[in-house]
Amino acid sequence: EIFASYAFIPEAEVDESSGAAGTEVVGSRPGLTPRHSGTIWTTFKVAPQWRVGGGLNMRSRDTPVGLAAGSQIRAPAFVTADLMAEYVRGSLALKANLTNLTDKHYAETLYRGHYVPGQKRTLEVTVVDTPEQPNTIRIEARGILDLTALLHDDIVDLGREVKVVIN
């Protein structure tokens, strides 16, 4: 399977503006409008129970909203990489997603006075019931500073004790 998207916005300009401080100048390129952005993802079924995949996300350089005419402030272009693996056998399912593989620091959104950083490297792991360790979720994470676990009744029987094991 291959999934791809691409946006090319070669020309964009502000048609009207109030002219108030912090608004964009008529005729200028609107902030938060990169010329190029896109993603490409692929997955492969490497065995009946195994599926692996990876993808790239990119955006060309960008400018903040409401920038003064002639300002040279820009957020640089970036590319991030993601990986995934999935193992399914009967009622057992193991799914792992690694987002921002290289822990690239980039500006997701850019304003005149600050920016919103993009997602840090993130590992998400889901394990569904095993006979040896019923209702147990095992997570191994290295180089991951933050970890969030979301439990759902379709994956884990929340009516019983749930055991979560990390590292």
Side-chain angles (χ1 to χ4, degrees):
E1 300 173 312
I2 297 175
F3 309 93
S5 69
Y6 175 71
F8 176 50
I9 307 173
E11 299 296 325
E13 73 176 42
V14 175
D15 293 331
E16 294 181 23
S17 176
S18 69
T23 61
E24 297 182 291
V25 178
V26 171
S28 67
R29 185 176 183 88
L32 304 177
T33 310
R35 290 186 193 283
H36 307 275
S37 62
T39 184
I40 186 161
W41 251 92
T42 186
T43 60
F44 301 95
K45 193 150 194 153
V46 294
Q49 297 92 0
W50 282 98
R51 188 168 64 113
V52 297
L56 298 173
N57 310 289
M58 63 77 64
R59 188 177 319 148
S60 61
R61 70 184 186 143
D62 209 353
T63 58
V65 171
L67 205 60
S71 175
Q72 296 302 309
I73 296 174
R74 303 282 185 273
F78 67 87
V79 176
T80 60
D82 303 332
L83 297 173
M84 64 80 62
E86 177 181 70
Y87 174 81
V88 178
R89 183 176 174 190
S91 64
L92 170 68
L94 166 66
K95 299 177 183 184
N97 291 292
L98 184 59
T99 305
N100 194 359
L101 174 67
T102 62
D103 204 19
K104 171 91 173 161
H105 184 86
Y106 63 97
E108 178 66 35
T109 308
L110 189 62
Y111 298 97
R112 287 179 297 147
H114 72 285
Y115 73 97
V116 177
Q119 185 175 6
K120 297 170 112 182
R121 180 187 305 128
T122 305
L123 174 65
E124 299 172 48
V125 177
T126 304
V127 179
V128 180
D129 224 6
T130 63
E132 300 79 28
Q133 296 179 319
N135 239 26
T136 299
I137 299 171
R138 292 190 154 282
I139 300 170
E140 287 193 35
R142 300 202 191 318
I144 304 296
L145 299 177
D146 299 313
L147 182 65
T148 303
L150 302 174
L151 304 179
H152 191 282
D153 244 351
D154 289 343
I155 297 171
V156 178
D157 182 358
L158 297 176
R160 299 184 303 164
E161 178 182 7
V162 176
K163 182 178 179 183
V164 178
V165 180
I166 300 175
N167 285 352

